[in-house]
Amino acid sequence: MKNKPIIVPVASGKGGVGKTVISVNLAFALAQLGKKVILIDLDFGGANIHTTLGYETAPDGVGNFLNQRHMKLEDYVLDTTDKNLKIIPGDAEMVGIANITNVQKKKLINQLFNLDAEYIILDLGAGSTFHTIDFFMISPFSILVTMPEMTSVLNAYALLKNSLFRLLYINLKNHPEVNELFNKHMRKGGESAWKISEILDKIEEIDPEIHVNASALVDTFNPKLIVNMATQPKDVQMGEKLRKISKSYLSIEMEYLGFLYHDKQIHQSIIDRVPIAMLSPDNQTYQTIVRMAYKIVNARCLPYFLLDIDNYDDSFEMIMEEATDDLASLIQDYENLTGENLVNINELLSIIKNLEYENIELKRKVERLEKRIIQYKKAISRK
Ligand SMILES: Nc1ncnc2c1ncn2[C@@H]1O[C@H](COP(=O)(O)OP(=O)(O)OP(=O)(O)O)[C@@H](O)[C@H]1O
Ligand SMILES: [Mg+2]
């Protein structure tokens, strides 16, 4: 029997930090090392891998697959200039399916694991939506990209926190007493910045056996970190801050996968719509990405699944939506970080400003989308 592919999801808390650039070039690098690779665009908000590879318009891809009952994911695989590398693009239809159902998600995940490849790179959308989180946790080989600036780091932290919470909540959902504990913590929101170790202690008081399971889940969740667009060596410290916060609050051990500088050639490759891997394979940044590919190939083999997809449940989504919407809760968390000298007050003020701005932008976006849905519905009912 052939081995299942190793899935490498690439995520970030904040947008525009370089996930797509890294996914595309990492896929080329793995292919160059002789591995069979499929790169998949799973950015439901802004699929653009096809653009970076020179396509004028998006060929049918994941969106079409999700909307068609009888198609297989493998039907959407396209060749690239490298015989080892194939892609499955996102497409225009994907934008309309921000709310894929659990059935669709399971169908997609099951078919992912049946694709004919050794490595599958998933370019995810930014932020902590459930789909992003679920794909982020699909594999122990996930990558978290951040820029060396405070907003990006703290958004990355929020993504880790939400992911870990969802992982535990979903996997332990058959234990009502433990679930109530999670619900209470979520509802408390801004009142306290929790540490996962405290929650684990409480779980141990409730049931030592569940505690063993929960601790194992936390131990297995260790995404790899990439700091991108650094301008000076000391930017590496921002990654360190994230690692420290994640360890002390979330008990997540994150390994550094790499550190990439801001590189004009990379930017040019985006404008030229040719990946740096093809445009200039000797480029320093690309060579650093090749090093990351080596690390991935040589990583020890971990279990395939973190999140048991049979456990998906929407009830959590509601609670989490409330909690992530709660700006106050985030701010309180960050204030606690100030107490530990991980963030200074000016950084904190800029974070709050940015979060508020992003919140307003998101609300506007939702309003615009809602209006469009209403217009579509009207148009359809008139037909
Ligand atoms: N190391 C780098 N040096 C210079 N520019 C970079 C680097 N990495 C990414 N960029 C630039 O940053 C911009 C955003 O990159 P990219 O689209 O990969 O981010 P993203 O995280 O996928 O964004 P989104 O969240 O919108 O999907 C692009 O214009 C790209 O050219
Ligand atoms: Mg992107």
Side-chain angles (χ1 to χ4, degrees), residues 16 18-21 41 43 46 48 123-126:
K19 292 179 297 298
T20 302
V21 165
D41 199 333
D43 185 344
N48 64 343
D123 180 17
L124 302 178

Side-chain angles (χ1 to χ4, degrees), residues 98 116 153 171 186 202 244 260 270:
D116 182 21
V153 165
N171 279 290
M186 274 312 213
K202 286 199 183 126
K244 254 195 200 156
L260 300 169
I270 295 292

Side-chain angles (χ1 to χ4, degrees), residues 238-254:
M238 290 306 278
E240 269 314 297
K241 275 188 185 178
L242 178 58
R243 275 163 35 92
K244 254 195 200 156
I245 302 170
S246 310
K247 186 154 188 236
S248 91
Y249 279 80
L250 307 175
S251 306
I252 295 178
E253 297 278 355
M254 252 193 312

Side-chain angles (χ1 to χ4, degrees), residues 15-21 43 126 228-229 261-263 266-267 270:
V17 300
K19 292 179 297 298
T20 302
V21 165
D43 185 344
N228 186 29
M229 290 195 253
Y261 282 99
H262 188 275
D263 178 342
I266 295 269
H267 194 60
I270 295 292

